[in-house]
Amino acid sequence: MTLKEFLNTGDRFAAENGMQLTEVREGFASATCVVEKHHLNAAGVCQGGVYFTLADLTFAAVTNSHGPVSLGVQNSITYLQSAKLGDTLVAETTEVFNHHRLPFCETRVTNQHGELLCIVTGSAYRKKDILQFEKLQ
């Protein structure tokens, strides 16, 4: 099983909310989600947790792409614009610093027009355990 398949099926919360990894490389991952009615908050725009969950999915792919089991320990999110019903969200995470224990990543979430909606930064903790996958994608 690839890391992409493992996370697309194993992260049940992301999958149940229509999120799928589209690309996984060492140090980079992307995922998409179409904003549906159940993703909207009381103000009628995309709920912040949707952005965060999509970013978290790509963050998991990036930090685990080297092999050791990696778990998020800190994240910060800045919302810049709201997504609306029918928008396609695209999250792209890049590993900024590949530390052997505390990697640091940046995620940019855009819409189908390439407009920046939010930025998420975060760190993970790499354990000694190795995640078993055949290849990244």
Side-chain angles (χ1 to χ4, degrees):
M1 178 177 286
T2 68
L3 178 60
K4 180 179 169 185
E5 292 166 336
F6 176 75
L7 292 172
N8 274 337
T9 58
D11 189 330
R12 290 172 290 285
F13 186 77
E16 296 265 336
N17 279 284
M19 301 172 192
Q20 289 288 304
L21 287 164
T22 55
E23 182 178 356
V24 178
R25 303 188 309 246
E26 192 171 283
F28 176 84
S30 63
T32 61
C33 173
V34 175
V35 178
E36 297 177 5
K37 190 174 180 180
H38 69 275
H39 293 127
L40 302 179
N41 64 19
V45 296
C46 188
Q47 205 269 353
V50 176
Y51 302 102
F52 188 85
T53 301
L54 188 63
D56 189 54
L57 180 61
T58 56
F59 176 80
V62 169
T63 58
N64 283 284
S65 67
H66 301 284
V69 174
S70 301
L71 303 168
V73 294
Q74 181 279 328
N75 284 281
S76 174
I77 188 166
T78 301
Y79 302 101
L80 304 169
Q81 295 187 67
S82 297
K84 297 167 185 59
L85 183 66
D87 281 350
T88 299
L89 304 180
V90 178
E92 294 183 330
T93 297
T94 304
E95 190 170 57
V96 176
F97 185 63
N98 180 19
H99 188 271
H100 69 284
R101 280 284 178 238
L102 297 168
F104 183 80
C105 297
E106 179 183 80
T107 304
R108 292 176 172 259
V109 179
T110 60
N111 64 16
Q112 68 274 15
H113 305 295
E115 298 167 330
L116 186 60
L117 304 178
C118 77
I119 297 173
V120 183
T121 57
S123 297
Y125 177 76
R126 287 198 171 124
K127 298 174 69 174
K128 293 180 181 176
D129 304 330
I130 301 298
L131 192 60
Q132 300 298 317
F133 54 86
E134 296 170 14
K135 56 185 181 175
L136 297 177
Q137 118 164 4

